[in-house]
């Protein structure tokens, strides 16, 4: 895949590490969009971590994906709901 690409549901993502097997979202992704990844055929596994109680570490997600025949890991911060 390209260094910068657009994925359905999450939008713009950037290559994270230069090897093309890890991508990170540009902006925090709303919680309802993250949960919607489980219904996407190109996303096979989703792991979500909670934010720390003191707010130092935000909530994040990591998804195992295959898009256009290319396997990769998608990571990003979780933001507020979009509604």
């Amino acid at each position: 895949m390209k260094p910068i690409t657009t994925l359905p549901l999450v939008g713009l993502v950037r290559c994270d590490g230069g090897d093309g097997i890890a991508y990170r979202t540009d902006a925090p992704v709303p919680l309802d969009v993250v949960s919607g990844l489980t219904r996407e055929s190109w996303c096979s596994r989703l792991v979500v971590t909670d934010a720390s109680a003191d707010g130092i570490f935000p909530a994040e997600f990591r998804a195992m994906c295959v898009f256009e025949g290319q396997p990769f890991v998608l990571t990003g911060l979780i933001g507020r709901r979009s509604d």
Side-chain angles (χ1 to χ4, degrees):
M1 288 174 56
K2 300 176 240 172
I4 300 173
T5 192
T6 302
L7 294 173
L9 214 61
V10 295
L12 191 67
V13 297
R14 295 181 188 274
C15 190
D16 189 22
D19 52 13
I21 59 169
Y23 283 82
R24 180 168 278 282
T25 59
D26 262 2
V29 178
L31 182 59
D32 52 326
V33 172
V34 172
S35 65
L37 287 172
T38 60
R39 293 185 290 278
E40 295 295 316
S41 61
W42 52 271
C43 182
S44 60
R45 183 174 179 203
L46 180 65
V47 177
V48 174
T49 59
D50 265 349
S52 62
D54 56 12
I56 293 174
F57 300 104
E60 291 187 311
F61 72 93
R62 176 171 285 122
M64 303 297 287
C65 306
V66 177
F67 189 72
E68 296 178 348
Q70 298 293 324
F72 62 96
V73 176
L74 176 64
T75 61
L77 298 177
I78 300 174
R80 300 193 183 279
R81 293 184 64 91
S82 61
D83 53 3

